[in-house]
Amino acid sequence: SCAADGSVILWNLVTKEPSWINYKAHNRFVRDCVFTLDESLFLSCSDDATVKLWRANPLVQRDETNRIDDYDFRSRIFGMEAEASKEKESGKGKKKKSEILASALPNNTNFYDPVQIYMGTRPLTSIDAHWRDSNIFYVSNDAIELWDCNRSTPMQRLSWGIDSVLKVKANPIETNLMISTGSDRSVVIYDVRLHTPVRKMILSHRSNAVAWNPVEAFSFTLANDDHNLYTYDMRAMHGAKSVHHDHVRAVMAVDYSPTGQEIVSGSYDHTVRIYNLRDGNYGHRSRDVYHSKRMQKVFGVAFSADAQMILSASDDGDVRMWKANSSQPTKAL
């Protein structure tokens, strides 16, 4: 996960705790992060116009003999160890749990250095990796740039009169295709083989996010400002194949399940909704909705690789994990 304070955190979904934390990954807002085809590496992009390649090996391991509650990570934050020592000297009571983990961070700061840094010319808005080549990735700013990890300059730069590209996504099946959403309400499909955009569509409202169907190479879903999600077939983009309702404010994030049968969305209305595309109406209405008292605007959602869990990132600074099927037990049989 990435945040506006420049931090990047690698989470362990089994223990539900961070396994690697860098609170100084970037100097400005970190807009997006993605794993490469090589599962040991991931990329992050930021408003500081840089893309950084990181090693995903867990460097900060949890000491099972010194367990603390899931919400006390002060000892893992740079500079917070001093606060823990002040509390101890003030004699406020028992030894603080944050002190126990103060020695968990490695002293070698090289562990937090990126493997490679790629310098852009403008603030970056999103990033995505190629599905078959671990060296290729795409970034967006006022255009789409195709980068090779072994080069210091982009290989291609694709644009179609867009003020700013909000999101870019590579097709997981037809890996030469990618799609972007723009601030001018446009949706553009690009073909890397032709070195040019191939199709453009203008909607009535801006699309904040886009996701390809991992099973049907020609289907994609847009998260739109008009409170709805739209699923299109790129072979016939004159009209949406399905409109997914129920959100009451702008939809900010969307993702497909690995089976391609469900989509999950996050919205400004503080909710996460799940749509079943095989319910007879192609997910016209949501089958489930998740929310909590403290959860604010949702800016990111994702399915786990086994389609059993859903992750959401919201404006209150928390990453939450939900069951994809709320009635399904998670205990061992």
Side-chain angles (χ1 to χ4, degrees):
S1 63
C2 52
D5 60 358
S7 63
V8 175
I9 302 178
L10 181 65
W11 297 88
N12 187 324
L13 296 186
V14 177
T15 62
K16 304 179 182 65
E17 295 173 357
S19 57
W20 181 86
I21 307 175
N22 192 336
Y23 285 91
K24 299 179 181 179
H26 288 270
N27 296 326
R28 300 180 65 183
F29 198 142
V30 187
R31 293 290 179 176
D32 204 358
C33 56
V34 64
F35 270 91
T36 66
L37 187 63
D38 182 353
E39 60 183 13
S40 65
L41 298 171
F42 68 95
L43 295 153
S44 64
C45 69
S46 169
D47 281 354
D48 60 10
T50 62
V51 175
K52 295 186 179 182
L53 180 67
W54 306 91
R55 198 169 300 281
N57 295 332
L59 302 177
V60 180
Q61 297 290 344
R62 179 59 171 264
D63 186 354
E64 294 299 328
T65 62
N66 294 328
R67 291 191 62 86
I68 60 174
D69 63 273
D70 292 341
Y71 299 97
D72 191 354
F73 296 120
R74 291 179 299 168
S75 60
R76 297 176 183 260
I77 305 175
F78 297 116
M80 293 301 287
E81 296 90 341
E83 179 181 335
S85 62
K86 289 180 181 178
E87 292 176 352
K88 182 178 180 181
E89 292 174 0
S90 62
K92 291 183 178 179
K94 297 181 180 180
K95 188 177 180 181
K96 298 296 181 180
K97 291 180 179 179
S98 59
E99 299 172 25
I100 299 175
L101 222 63
S103 59
L105 283 173
N107 295 323
N108 188 353
T109 56
N110 292 331
F111 289 162
Y112 297 96
D113 289 345
V115 177
Q116 187 69 35
I117 301 177
Y118 307 95
M119 301 298 299
T121 57
R122 296 173 178 84
L124 304 175
T125 56
S126 71
I127 188 169
D128 199 18
H130 198 278
W131 285 82
R132 293 183 184 174
D133 190 338
S134 59
N135 292 322
I136 302 298
F137 64 91
Y138 311 98
V139 296
S140 63
N141 39 54
D142 61 336
I144 304 296
E145 294 180 348
L146 173 64
W147 287 74
D148 189 320
C149 288
N150 300 315
R151 299 179 59 175
S152 59
T153 57
M155 299 169 55
Q156 293 184 32
R157 182 177 173 85
L158 307 173
S159 178
W160 196 340
I162 302 174
D163 295 333
S164 178
V165 180
L166 301 178
K167 284 289 182 180
V168 59
K169 284 292 181 181
N171 194 310
I173 303 174
E174 295 292 339
T175 55
N176 293 307
L177 298 178
M178 54 184 170
I179 190 170
S180 71
T181 63
S183 58
D184 60 351
R185 299 176 286 111
S186 65
V187 178
V188 184
I189 297 178
Y190 305 83
D191 193 328
V192 177
R193 296 166 295 187
L194 302 177
H195 304 277
T196 181
V198 295
R199 187 167 297 180
K200 184 176 182 179
M201 173 177 63
I202 302 293
L203 301 179
S204 58
H205 292 77
R206 186 180 70 177
S207 295
N208 299 304
V210 61
W212 287 102
N213 191 316
V215 177
E216 300 175 355
F218 45 80
S219 295
F220 61 89
T221 298
L222 301 168
N224 203 267
D225 261 351
D226 66 354
H227 314 171
N228 297 323
L229 296 103
Y230 297 90
T231 296
Y232 282 88
D233 188 323
M234 69 176 180
R235 300 170 298 182
M237 294 176 60
H238 56 273
K241 183 163 63 173
S242 179
V243 181
H244 312 285
H245 299 281
D246 285 345
H247 281 295
V248 296
R249 296 186 68 183
V251 188
M252 301 303 297
V254 62
D255 191 34
Y256 271 88
S257 68
T259 61
Q261 298 183 3
E262 292 184 329
I263 57 175
V264 59
S265 62
S267 169
Y268 260 34
D269 61 9
H270 307 181
T271 64
V272 173
R273 292 185 179 272
I274 306 172
Y275 298 84
N276 184 4
L277 303 182
R278 299 294 185 267
D279 62 357
N281 295 318
Y282 206 81
H284 187 63
R285 295 289 183 182
S286 61
R287 71 160 175 84
D288 215 339
V289 55
Y290 294 142
H291 59 88
S292 66
K293 291 182 179 180
R294 295 185 60 184
M295 187 165 71
Q296 300 299 310
K297 302 170 184 176
V298 182
F299 288 101
V301 291
F303 266 98
S304 63
D306 60 359
Q308 299 299 311
M309 295 293 176
I310 291 173
L311 300 169
S312 68
S314 53
D315 202 23
D316 57 318
D318 289 333
V319 176
R320 291 177 171 85
M321 187 163 65
W322 315 82
K323 291 192 293 184
N325 296 294
S326 56
S327 60
Q328 182 177 350
T330 56
K331 61 183 181 181
L333 298 177

